Amino acid sequence: MINPFDDTYFMKKALQEAEIAFEKGEIPVGAVIVIENRIIAKGHNLTETLNDVTAHAEMQAITAAANFLGGKYLQNCTLYVTLEPCQMCAGALYWSQISNIVYGTRDLERGCINLNSKLHPKTILKGGIMENEAADLLKRFFIQRRNLN
């Protein structure tokens, strides 16, 4: 029997959030936070909408998850995010003590891996889940943006 709650299932949910961001004219990054196979928080980029450089998908999801759980620590939670977290988001994820981070595609310029950002020592990082779909959405966004200017 196939487990309906696998990394692909939850990454699809994060991609749905990224599509919402795309439709709003935001850089299409989406995130969901899961505990015990249950989505407890969703987020997508809102930097343009909120005029706030910190309004990344991960930050939105972290805040929503902390509110849901009634505490600031996200132990036993998994973040699914379509793009490798940036240094700012990696810092927030460090402080949240999130257990797992699963990302779609790498961010070779601003991603936490290339910048040697520190995650919590107990955090497990896994990448490449639905990588092509996440990368294609970003490419489509930037092509459309270039053609509008």
Side-chain angles (χ1 to χ4, degrees):
M1 182 172 169
I2 296 173
N3 178 5
F5 302 112
D6 63 2
D7 288 339
T8 302
Y9 173 84
F10 291 116
M11 189 59 74
K12 284 180 183 175
K13 298 298 184 184
L15 280 164
Q16 289 172 355
E17 288 296 309
E19 288 282 356
I20 294 169
F22 184 98
E23 292 167 13
K24 292 180 178 180
E26 300 277 357
I27 294 175
V29 178
V32 298
I33 295 180
V34 175
I35 190 168
E36 296 174 358
N37 287 327
R38 179 179 176 200
I39 295 173
I40 61 168
K42 298 177 184 179
H44 54 270
N45 273 358
L46 289 171
T47 59
E48 299 298 325
T49 303
L50 298 178
N51 198 29
D52 178 356
V53 297
T54 68
H56 290 194
E58 300 95 323
M59 303 298 268
Q60 303 301 310
I62 290 167
T63 299
N67 288 335
F68 179 88
L69 294 172
K72 62 185 176 181
Y73 297 119
L74 303 181
Q75 296 158 336
N76 302 315
C77 292
T78 300
L79 167 72
Y80 291 87
V81 62
T82 58
L83 180 65
E84 172 190 346
C86 71
Q87 190 168 4
M88 174 187 69
C89 292
L93 291 161
Y94 174 96
W95 291 112
S96 78
Q97 299 181 18
I98 196 155
S99 297
N100 302 286
I101 300 170
V102 179
Y103 65 87
T105 192
R106 293 279 316 271
D107 183 344
L108 297 175
E109 291 180 35
R110 291 173 212 86
C112 64
I113 296 170
N114 278 359
L115 297 174
N116 294 317
S117 298
K118 300 292 184 210
L119 296 171
H120 192 272
K122 294 182 181 178
T123 299
I124 298 168
L125 183 65
K126 179 179 179 181
I129 306 300
M130 299 190 72
E131 181 176 9
N132 292 336
E133 293 85 345
D136 289 346
L137 182 58
L138 285 162
K139 287 175 192 167
R140 195 170 88 222
F141 174 80
F142 286 110
I143 288 169
Q144 179 182 21
R145 194 173 206 179
R146 261 184 253 120
N147 290 336
L148 291 176
N149 292 330

